[in-house]
Amino acid sequence: MRYGALEAGGTKMVMAVMNESGDTLQRETIPTLTPADTMPRMIGFFRDNKADVLGVGSFGPLDLNPASPAFGSVTITPKLAWCNYPMLKVFRDELKIPVAIDTDVNAAALAEFMLGAAKGKSSCMYVTVGTGVGGGLIVNGKPVHGFMHPEIGHIPLIPDPEDPTPDGFCPYHKHCMEGLAAGPAIEKRWGISAKELPQDHPAWKLEIYYMSQLCANAMFSFSPEIIILGGGVMQQKFMIPAIRKKTVELLGGYFPEPLIADGLSSYIVEPGLGTASGITGAWLLAKQLTETDN
Ligand code: ADP
Ligand code: ZN
């Protein structure tokens, strides 16, 4: 069995064909352009490399209601060419193989849950802070969809009084997490890419505050057993200890002492699978499909 895996991101599409054990047999990355340009290249890759099934972890929002006629479509997105694009249907129609789809962050959360930092837990939250902010949630071993699917990147936060752009940059909301703290927001606020900012730049104090609000909100809302922070901006490794410290402060002593006694050092963590969580999650979605089909 050859498992197709697609990590469909807003800037790039990572495609792989993997074997039963998760070894990569073929892999290719292409930029995310319009569906007319990008879909035929992806279909070609999975066809040429003889994928028997395909798992897709995609940017969203997605329609994940199996009863909906638009199941597996991208819904509203600032990436206008992809608005209402029926990604799942097109893959199924063209490839004529079983295809499963979930959000990119649910896929990454699933991978961390099964094989990474959350192995052995019964729930976890995976957050990516990159071009956008997204959070995937696994509860009792299953990705949470619910009403639509969690959109924790758009939770409103309290702007830092020292933030020169306290409304943030989300086209939909004022001062939501993504609008305040995604990579492009950092760049718009300070006029310099997050990658280039020195560690002592005031940008990081704001970023740590926003990340900590997100973690505290998640703990109060869903009580995941572990929070995993990934994505480009989280490559700044010095942030995680500072986020733990600030989150403890924001919790205000509300969670009992044994839980946070170690300063959340085993609670707010980096991905166990490094940058491979997304593609591994897509592979797991493909694998689960064969398990449920059989
Ligand atoms: P994507 O969201 O498209 O999957 P990334 O997770 O790499 O991609 O996110 C890209 C964003 O992360 C950009 O805004 C970039 O400035 C920021 N970023 C990427 N690498 C770093 C880094 N090492 N340090 C800080 N920010 C980074
Ligand atoms: Zn928003």
Side-chain angles (χ1 to χ4, degrees):
M1 179 72 81
R2 295 168 69 87
Y3 301 87
L6 169 63
E7 185 183 3
T11 39
K12 62 183 190 300
M13 300 289 189
V14 182
M15 305 173 285
V17 171
M18 299 158 92
N19 68 12
E20 180 78 29
S21 327
D23 305 316
T24 302
L25 307 175
Q26 271 90 26
R27 186 182 163 107
E28 196 180 324
T29 300
I30 59 170
T32 305
L33 305 172
T34 62
D37 180 279
T38 312
M39 287 299 291
R41 293 184 67 186
M42 296 196 288
I43 289 159
F45 174 87
F46 292 113
R47 192 177 279 151
D48 295 349
N49 291 302
K50 301 187 173 32
D52 298 305
V53 281
L54 174 61
V56 180
S58 176
F59 69 85
L62 299 174
D63 184 332
L64 293 176
N65 174 5
S68 160
F71 176 57
S73 298
V74 180
T75 61
I76 45 144
T77 163
K79 290 174 269 297
L80 293 178
W82 291 87
C83 266
N84 301 315
Y85 186 75
M87 193 188 296
L88 177 69
K89 182 177 184 313
V90 173
F91 277 129
R92 281 181 175 165
D93 289 353
E94 294 293 322
L95 293 169
K96 300 187 172 44
I97 58 173
V99 185
I101 193 166
D102 208 327
T103 61
D104 46 3
V105 279
N106 266 349
L110 182 66
E112 288 294 326
F113 178 80
M114 304 277 288
L115 303 166
K119 211 171 154 183
K121 311 276 184 200
S122 70
S123 61
C124 73
M125 184 174 80
Y126 174 93
V127 177
T128 181
V129 188
T131 309
V133 178
L137 197 60
I138 305 289
V139 176
N140 295 329
K142 296 232 174 332
V144 173
H145 298 137
F147 177 62
M148 185 174 76
H149 47 75
E151 280 286 341
I152 194 166
H154 293 276
I155 281 182
L157 300 182
I158 301 167
D160 189 299
E162 289 167 24
D163 189 339
T165 53
D167 286 346
F169 301 94
C170 176
Y172 299 99
H173 319 106
K174 282 189 177 175
H175 55 87
C176 72
M177 173 68 194
E178 180 169 299
L180 289 170
I186 300 174
E187 184 162 353
K188 282 182 193 144
R189 180 185 292 119
W190 304 105
I192 167 171
S193 159
K195 276 187 206 172
E196 316 293 329
L197 285 169
Q199 197 174 323
D200 60 358
H201 192 283
W204 297 117
K205 180 176 161 280
L206 300 191
E207 192 68 12
I208 288 158
Y209 181 45
Y210 296 142
M211 291 297 301
S212 305
Q213 287 192 52
L214 187 74
C215 290
N217 285 346
M219 292 173 77
F220 288 130
S221 306
F222 334 112
S223 189
E225 284 162 78
I226 187 166
I227 297 176
I228 300 150
L229 303 180
V233 175
M234 292 309 302
Q235 296 300 315
Q236 300 290 328
K237 302 285 183 209
F238 68 88
M239 280 216 290
I240 288 205
I243 292 167
R244 290 180 187 135
K245 198 161 166 247
K246 189 71 186 171
T247 302
V248 170
E249 192 187 312
L250 296 178
L251 292 173
Y254 197 80
F255 281 76
E257 194 51 25
L259 287 181
I260 55 167
D262 63 351
L264 299 176
S265 64
S266 52
Y267 185 81
I268 297 176
V269 299
E270 56 187 85
L273 302 172
T275 54
S277 321
I279 198 75
T280 307
W283 167 72
L284 285 168
L285 290 175
K287 264 194 109 178
Q288 287 184 343
L289 199 56
T290 60
E291 286 153 13
T292 49
D293 272 355
N294 290 338

